[in-house]
Amino acid sequence: MTNQISTEHLDEVIDKYAQDMSNKVVAITGTTSGTGFVCAREVAKKGATVILLNRKSERSEQAHSQLLESVPEGTFDPVHCDLQSFASVQSAMEEIKARYEKIDVLVNNAGVMAFKDQATADGYDVQMQTNVISHFLITKELFPLLKKSEQGRIVNHSSMARLGDPLKMEYFEKKGGNLGGDGTEEENLSFQGPRWERYHQTKLANATFTYGLKKKLEEKQIHNVIPLLAHPGLALTQLQVTTAADGGMQSGSPLMAQAQSAEDGATGIIRASMDKEAKSGDFYGPAAGWKGFPDLLEPEDLLLDESNIQINWEGCEKAVGAFKF
């Protein structure tokens, strides 16, 4: 996990905010590279048992080996979980529930960006199912284990792409492959058009899921589970590589010359996972947007909007069932 961009903030975040994670269990989606890999590595260094939730692949096996090399004393538990298949996610959750009595931190990190207008086998848009609905399913299935923690944490990963139009229910429905098409080359090069609108919908949904959870937990008087939100700014990760390969952006985009390292991109979810002072609804990320230290941010009105929260919650529950507290 090396790149040519210098890392500026990771050490400071670990020094200021990383608590001892001994006897804690942390589950993270998308740990084969980028922010998820870095988060898994850093919480393991602090003593956590880390559940690695990835689709079965050579990359996931290599990443597991690299994590063991980076943290020889670390405890990593790979669990196969394909976010583009609800059956795979459900199977992974049953495996976790059979092996663990509690989960202390769930990091909903994995995502795809600006993919073609295509459906999963379940019929949903590939971006919405991967980035949002499957994470809702994971969270609701692991919630009973999170409630057994002294302080369970649900960390959702959004991005700057959260900003834009409100959520629309059609993106949560079985309309994969019929949500605007793939856009023109000009649109894709300028980060506009239907691919990027579908991505925006997912990143806004990640954020509204956080604040929908916060409201519902408060209503249920559940205080030992806290939802948190982070965004990575513009970080150089595998996300851009897969997007470019799918035609969603230009390979070697000039924009990426402004990016920060994957290590710095991970500092938001790392702080959310380990900051002792974290409170329900706290939002961490670069204040300037593209890069910087993961400051405590004020969520935009769009993230707190009741209509957006309702669309996200109802859309996800219709897809994978009711969230029981």
Side-chain angles (χ1 to χ4, degrees), residues 3 5-8 35 232 234-237 259-266:
N3 56 56
I5 301 175
S6 63
T7 297
E8 299 180 8
T35 56
L234 183 64
L236 188 62
T237 69
Q260 59 186 355
S261 70
E263 279 76 9
D264 281 342

Side-chain angles (χ1 to χ4, degrees), residues 126-199:
V126 67
Q127 292 190 77
M128 184 59 74
Q129 181 163 338
T130 303
N131 298 3
V132 179
I133 304 175
S134 282
H135 282 124
F136 184 95
L137 176 56
I138 289 171
T139 307
K140 85 180 189 75
E141 289 299 313
L142 294 186
F143 189 75
L145 274 65
L146 286 157
K147 280 179 69 176
K148 292 180 180 179
S149 173
E150 184 177 340
Q151 187 195 68
R153 299 186 183 206
I154 299 163
V155 181
N156 295 314
H157 217 184
S158 186
S159 81
M160 289 294 290
R162 69 189 182 277
L163 304 175
D165 292 334
L167 290 180
K168 295 181 180 178
M169 184 60 81
E170 65 180 314
Y171 291 97
F172 293 82
E173 297 172 345
K174 286 191 176 184
K175 294 184 178 181
N178 191 30
L179 286 167
D182 298 333
T184 65
E185 183 177 2
E186 183 179 3
E187 285 176 326
N188 294 330
L189 290 176
S190 59
F191 308 100
Q192 298 177 343
R195 288 177 184 248
W196 291 95
E197 176 58 26
R198 293 192 298 274
Y199 182 61

Side-chain angles (χ1 to χ4, degrees), residues 23-251:
N23 301 314
K24 293 184 183 293
V25 179
V26 179
I28 308 173
T29 63
T31 65
T32 58
S33 64
T35 56
F37 181 97
V38 176
C39 185
R41 185 187 70 201
E42 297 305 319
V43 295
K45 286 180 180 178
K46 290 295 182 179
T49 294
V50 189
I51 302 172
L52 310 172
L53 290 164
N54 300 294
R55 180 175 58 84
K56 186 177 182 180
S57 67
E58 186 177 336
R59 280 184 62 210
S60 65
E61 292 175 0
Q62 290 175 345
H64 183 207
S65 296
Q66 290 169 352
L67 285 166
L68 287 169
E69 290 174 9
S70 298
V71 194
E73 71 282 8
T75 302
F76 300 99
D77 183 8
V79 174
H80 300 313
C81 181
D82 183 352
L83 297 177
Q84 294 181 26
S85 164
F86 293 146
S88 174
V89 172
Q90 192 67 56
S91 177
M93 297 306 100
E94 296 306 319
E95 188 175 340
I96 291 172
K97 287 186 281 189
R99 296 217 294 263
Y100 293 90
E101 294 184 356
K102 72 175 177 72
I103 300 291
D104 298 284
V105 184
L106 169 62
V107 185
N108 291 321
N109 164 75
V112 294
M113 180 172 72
F115 270 27
K116 291 177 180 178
D117 191 2
Q118 56 191 8
T120 65
D122 296 300
Y124 296 88
D125 173 62
V126 67
Q127 292 190 77
M128 184 59 74
Q129 181 163 338
T130 303
N131 298 3
V132 179
I133 304 175
S134 282
H135 282 124
F136 184 95
L137 176 56
I138 289 171
T139 307
K140 85 180 189 75
E141 289 299 313
L142 294 186
F143 189 75
L145 274 65
L146 286 157
K147 280 179 69 176
K148 292 180 180 179
S149 173
E150 184 177 340
Q151 187 195 68
R153 299 186 183 206
I154 299 163
V155 181
N156 295 314
H157 217 184
S158 186
S159 81
M160 289 294 290
R162 69 189 182 277
L163 304 175
D165 292 334
L167 290 180
K168 295 181 180 178
M169 184 60 81
E170 65 180 314
Y171 291 97
F172 293 82
E173 297 172 345
K174 286 191 176 184
K175 294 184 178 181
N178 191 30
L179 286 167
D182 298 333
T184 65
E185 183 177 2
E186 183 179 3
E187 285 176 326
N188 294 330
L189 290 176
S190 59
F191 308 100
Q192 298 177 343
R195 288 177 184 248
W196 291 95
E197 176 58 26
R198 293 192 298 274
Y199 182 61
H200 154 67
Q201 289 279 319
T202 72
K203 293 291 102 178
L204 175 55
N206 292 148
T208 57
F209 179 37
T210 305
Y211 294 104
L213 267 173
K214 180 177 185 291
K215 179 180 179 182
K216 290 177 184 296
L217 290 168
E218 289 170 351
E219 290 173 349
K220 300 289 185 180
Q221 295 292 303
I222 298 172
H223 303 297
N224 69 310
V225 180
I226 61 172
L228 300 145
L229 183 63
H231 85 86
L234 183 64
L236 188 62
T237 69
Q238 190 70 17
L239 191 64
Q240 293 82 26
V241 176
T242 55
T243 302
D246 196 62
M249 65 184 288
Q250 183 181 16
S251 181

Side-chain angles (χ1 to χ4, degrees), residues 13-21 46 270 274-276:
V13 170
I14 296 299
D15 182 59
K16 286 185 176 180
Y17 301 113
Q19 62 175 286
D20 179 20
M21 300 294 283
K46 290 295 182 179
I270 289 170
M274 296 198 280
D275 188 344
K276 285 184 177 180

